[in-house]
Amino acid sequence: MSLIVIAFLGGVFTVLSPCILPVVPFVFARSDRPFATERLPLFAGLAGAFALVTGIGVAGLAGAAQLNQYGRWIALATLALFGAALLLPSLAERLTRPLSALADRIVARSQTQGTTRRIASSILLGAATGLLWAPCAGPILGVIFTGAALHGANWHTAAALAAYAVGAASSLAIASSLGKRALDRVKRTLGVGEHVRRAMGALVVLSVAAIATGLDTRLLALIPGTPTNGIESRLVGVLNAKHTPHDARPGARMMRVSMPSTLPVQGRLPSLDGATTWLNTAPLSADALRGKVVVVNFWTYSCINCLRTLPYLRTWSQRYRDDGLVVIGVHTPEFGFERDTGNVKRALANLNIGYPVAVDNAYDIWRAFGNQYWPAFYIVDAQGRVRFHHFGEGGYREAEDAIRQLLADNGKPMPSHDAQTVQGSGTQAAADPANIGSDETYVGYAQAQGFASPQRVKRDTVDTYSLPAQLPLNDWALSGKWNVGAESAVPAAAQARIAFRFHARDLHLVLAPSTDGKPVRFRVTIDGAAPGASHGADIAADGTGVVTNARLYQLVRQSGAVEDRTFEIEFLDPGAQAYSFTFG
C-alpha cells in the first residue's frame, strides 16, 4: 500500500518537471470547457493511456516499443487535427466531409453533439496526450519497473502505475482550473474569446510540430535539472525505509542494524531447491545444512554494492569454516548476461570466491526468502532458524558478532574477538560515502534517467546523437551512432561516446563486449584530459582500456579532492554494450 500512496504523490509532483511541458498546451487548450463533461474525461483518458502504455512496457510484451512508437504518431496526428480545428474552424468544416467517423467525432462535432459524444471526444484527446506523456518517467517509475522485472507484473504494479497516472492527472486538473480562471478573466476584460481560442489552436499545432521534430527534447536539454526528480528521490527513500520491493543498492548501502543481546528467531531457512545449478559445491539443501551456522548472501556479480561486501564474506568463510560456518552466495541476476553460468563461473574465479554459490536464475530462492535487496545477508543457526538479517552494505561488525554468538551456542567456544579491519581493493574497496553525490544511472531506456542529448531516444534503432553545450550535474548524454535498447546502449560505429557529469570518488560502468565476444577498445577522459593518477583499476593512466567480458569496470578513482567532473568514454570499436553507471 505504501508504494501505491507514494506513487500517487510522485505523480502529483510530476507537474513540476520540465519533461511535462510539451503536453501542457493540449491540456490548457480545453481549460475553458465544462469540467464534468470535457476536462474530467480528458484527464481520465490521459491517466488511462499512460497507465496502459507503461504497463505494456513493464509486462515486457513483445512489440511494446513498436506499439508505443505507432501510438505516438497516431496521437500527434489526432492532436494536430484538434489544433487545426481550434485555429481554423472554416478549414475544419471543409475537412469533416471526407474525414472518417472517428475524426468527425473528435473535431467537427465536439461542440454541437450530445454529452456522450463530447465525453468520448475528450477521452480520446486525453488518451492521445497520455501517449505523448508516457516517456516522462521519474525515479518512482524506475522503482516500479525494477519491482516488476524482479517479481513479475502483478496487481501491485498495475495499481502503482495507475496511482502515478492519477496523481499526475490530478495536479494537471488543478493547473487547468487555474488556467480556466485566467482565461475567463481575459475574455471578460478584453472580449477576445475568439482570439484566445485561435491562439490556443496555434499553440497546440506548434507543440505537435515541436514534438514531431524533436525540438522539445533539444529545448528541455537546456533547462537545468528536473525539479521533480529530487522530490521523487526523497519519496523513494521513504520506500527504502519501509522495505518496499526494489533494488536497494543506492538507498541502503550503509544501513545499520543494532545487535540485541539475544538474537530473535525470524523464521525458518527456506528451501534452496530452486537453484538452477550450484558452483563450488554439490547441491545443498536446508536439511543437509542442519547443525551448521549458515550465512546466505544474495548478490549479483556486476553490482558494486555486492562487490564491496565480498572481502567480508571471504574473511568470515576462512576464519570460521573449521568452527562450523557455511557461507552461501545466492547469485540472483539483474542483467541478461548475468544469467550465463559461464559468466558467473568466470566472475567467481576473478573475485577469488571459493565458498558455495547457488545460481538463482529463476528467482526461486529469492522469492522463497521474500528478499527484496542486493546485497542482503541472512544468518541461520544450527537448528535451521533465521536469527539475523541485514540489507545493503554495512553492518559487518554486527553480522560477525551474530555469527560468533550462534557458533558459541552450537558448542564452538569463541575466543575474545577484537575488531579486525577488512580491506578490499579495486572495485571491492570501501566506498567514500561522504563524497557520493551521484546515484546509480541506467543507460537502457527501460530505466534511464537524466538523459541530456538534444535528440529524442529512438528505441531499438540506430540513430545519431550529440552532446549538449553544457552537461548539468548527474546528467549524461550520447554522441555518435547508437542503438539504445531496454537494458543497454550499443555504439553502432567507432568513436561513439558517453559523457556523464558526476560527483564521487569512484565511477564504474557495467560493460560487455560485442555479441560475438570480440573485445572492444575504449578511451576515458576526465574534464577532457587523460585521467592520470585518477584512473580506475580497469584502465591505464592514459585512459585506455579494453572490454573483454561482461562485468563492472572501475574507470575512475579520483586521487585528489572530489569535485564535480565530466567523464567521457569513447569506444574505438563498435559493438560494446553499456548498461549502468555506479559510484563510490
Side-chain angles (χ1 to χ4, degrees):
M1 179 59 69
S2 59
L3 175 61
I4 295 172
V5 173
I6 290 177
F8 173 81
L9 295 175
V12 169
F13 287 118
T14 301
V15 76
L16 302 176
S17 171
C19 179
I20 207 169
L21 292 178
V23 307
V24 169
F26 310 127
V27 174
F28 274 45
R30 285 215 156 186
S31 62
D32 62 339
R33 302 297 181 89
F35 181 78
T37 60
E38 300 276 359
R39 285 185 288 144
L40 181 59
L42 175 80
F43 293 118
L46 185 151
F50 172 83
L52 176 63
V53 171
T54 52
I56 290 173
V58 164
L61 298 181
Q66 290 84 348
L67 176 62
N68 186 48
Q69 286 299 315
Y70 295 146
R72 177 174 175 271
W73 287 109
I74 293 172
L76 285 172
T78 301
L79 292 168
L81 195 61
F82 168 59
L86 290 175
L87 183 61
L88 301 170
S90 60
L91 176 62
E93 185 177 354
R94 289 194 297 271
L95 289 174
T96 54
R97 287 189 288 271
L99 287 178
S100 65
L102 178 63
D104 183 67
R105 290 173 185 169
I106 296 173
V107 179
R109 303 184 182 182
S110 60
Q111 298 184 28
T112 60
Q113 294 189 4
T115 301
T116 301
R117 291 198 174 188
R118 290 201 303 271
I119 291 175
S121 172
S122 296
I123 290 175
L124 207 52
L125 287 171
T129 307
L131 289 172
L132 298 182
W133 173 50
C136 194
I140 288 177
L141 280 183
V143 170
I144 297 172
F145 292 155
T146 300
L150 298 181
H151 310 292
N154 51 41
W155 75 267
H156 291 95
T157 302
L161 288 174
Y164 192 96
V166 169
S170 299
S171 58
L172 281 173
I174 294 173
S176 175
S177 297
L178 296 176
K180 181 180 186 303
R181 294 177 187 177
L183 285 177
D184 289 345
R185 180 172 299 179
V186 169
K187 291 177 182 178
R188 287 195 304 269
T189 304
L190 303 177
V192 291
E194 178 67 16
H195 296 294
V196 170
R197 184 183 61 77
R198 289 175 181 262
M200 282 294 181
L203 187 59
V204 167
V205 172
L206 289 173
S207 297
V208 169
I211 294 173
T213 60
L215 178 61
D216 64 319
T217 307
R218 292 192 289 272
L219 292 177
L220 288 177
L222 301 177
I223 300 177
T226 304
T228 189
N229 278 359
I231 299 172
E232 288 197 46
S233 295
R234 286 190 286 274
L235 291 173
V236 169
V238 176
L239 287 176
N240 292 351
K242 292 180 178 293
H243 293 179
T244 305
H246 74 293
D247 172 0
R249 287 177 290 174
R253 61 169 63 96
M254 292 298 172
M255 187 183 297
R256 300 293 294 174
V257 175
S258 59
M259 182 69 187
S261 57
T262 301
L263 295 171
V265 175
Q266 302 177 1
R268 304 290 302 181
L269 173 63
S271 171
L272 302 175
D273 295 340
T276 306
T277 189
W278 285 85
L279 303 176
N280 295 338
T281 182
L284 299 176
S285 67
D287 290 338
L289 292 167
R290 190 67 59 88
K292 301 285 188 179
V293 175
V294 182
V295 175
V296 179
N297 167 236
F298 285 91
W299 73 301
T300 187
Y301 82 83
S302 73
C303 160
I304 183 60
N305 306 94
C306 300
L307 293 176
R308 291 195 288 248
T309 66
L310 295 181
Y312 296 90
L313 289 163
R314 288 195 301 265
T315 297
W316 297 338
S317 179
Q318 295 165 5
R319 184 177 291 167
Y320 301 111
R321 181 171 48 212
D322 294 339
D323 297 315
L325 177 71
V326 177
V327 175
I328 297 175
V330 179
H331 186 274
T332 311
E334 179 181 16
F335 298 119
F337 66 79
E338 293 172 316
R339 298 176 181 274
D340 186 325
T341 304
N343 286 340
V344 180
K345 288 181 178 178
R346 186 181 302 109
L348 298 188
N350 293 336
L351 298 170
N352 193 28
I353 295 176
Y355 52 78
V357 172
V359 177
D360 188 31
N361 282 352
Y363 280 70
D364 287 341
I365 302 176
W366 177 286
R367 284 190 288 268
F369 273 79
N371 187 55
Q372 312 289 353
Y373 300 94
W374 290 294
F377 299 102
Y378 297 86
I379 301 180
V380 182
D381 66 17
Q383 287 73 49
R385 302 173 298 180
V386 178
R387 304 290 297 277
F388 179 92
H389 72 270
H390 178 76
F391 303 131
E393 292 183 56
Y396 303 118
R397 180 60 187 268
E398 294 86 352
E400 186 169 0
D401 286 346
I403 291 169
R404 292 171 58 81
Q405 181 175 323
L406 295 178
L407 289 173
D409 292 345
N410 199 35
K412 298 293 182 180
M414 289 288 108
S416 58
H417 176 62
D418 294 328
Q420 299 182 31
T421 301
V422 176
Q423 296 285 353
S425 60
T427 57
Q428 299 177 50
D432 180 15
N435 284 304
I436 299 178
S438 298
D439 290 330
E440 181 175 21
T441 300
Y442 292 86
V443 178
Y445 62 73
Q447 298 187 65
Q449 293 291 329
F451 182 65
S453 286
Q455 298 78 21
R456 186 186 298 273
V457 169
K458 297 290 184 64
R459 299 183 175 190
D460 303 305
T461 302
V462 175
D463 201 12
T464 301
Y465 300 90
S466 60
L467 303 182
Q470 290 186 331
L471 199 59
L473 181 64
N474 294 328
D475 279 5
W476 61 281
L478 300 174
S479 175
K481 291 185 180 295
W482 287 85
N483 188 342
V484 181
E487 269 197 347
S488 65
V490 179
Q495 280 74 56
R497 292 180 292 157
I498 309 177
F500 197 122
R501 185 74 172 167
F502 76 102
H503 186 102
R505 184 194 67 191
D506 303 338
L507 179 146
H508 315 94
L509 180 57
V510 177
L511 295 166
S514 59
T515 53
D516 61 4
K518 183 179 179 181
V520 177
R521 299 169 301 150
F522 64 85
R523 180 185 297 111
V524 165
T525 61
I526 304 174
D527 293 335
S534 293
H535 70 91
D538 291 301
I539 63 172
D542 65 357
T544 57
V546 182
V547 183
T548 54
N549 50 67
R551 62 179 177 85
L552 180 142
Y553 289 75
Q554 186 185 82
L555 303 179
V556 175
R557 167 156 286 177
Q558 293 195 56
S559 59
V562 176
E563 299 176 353
D564 295 355
R565 305 285 190 186
T566 298
F567 162 89
E568 286 195 24
I569 180 170
E570 179 184 10
F571 294 95
L572 306 180
D573 307 301
Q577 302 168 70
Y579 288 85
S580 67
F581 288 92
T582 53
F583 303 90

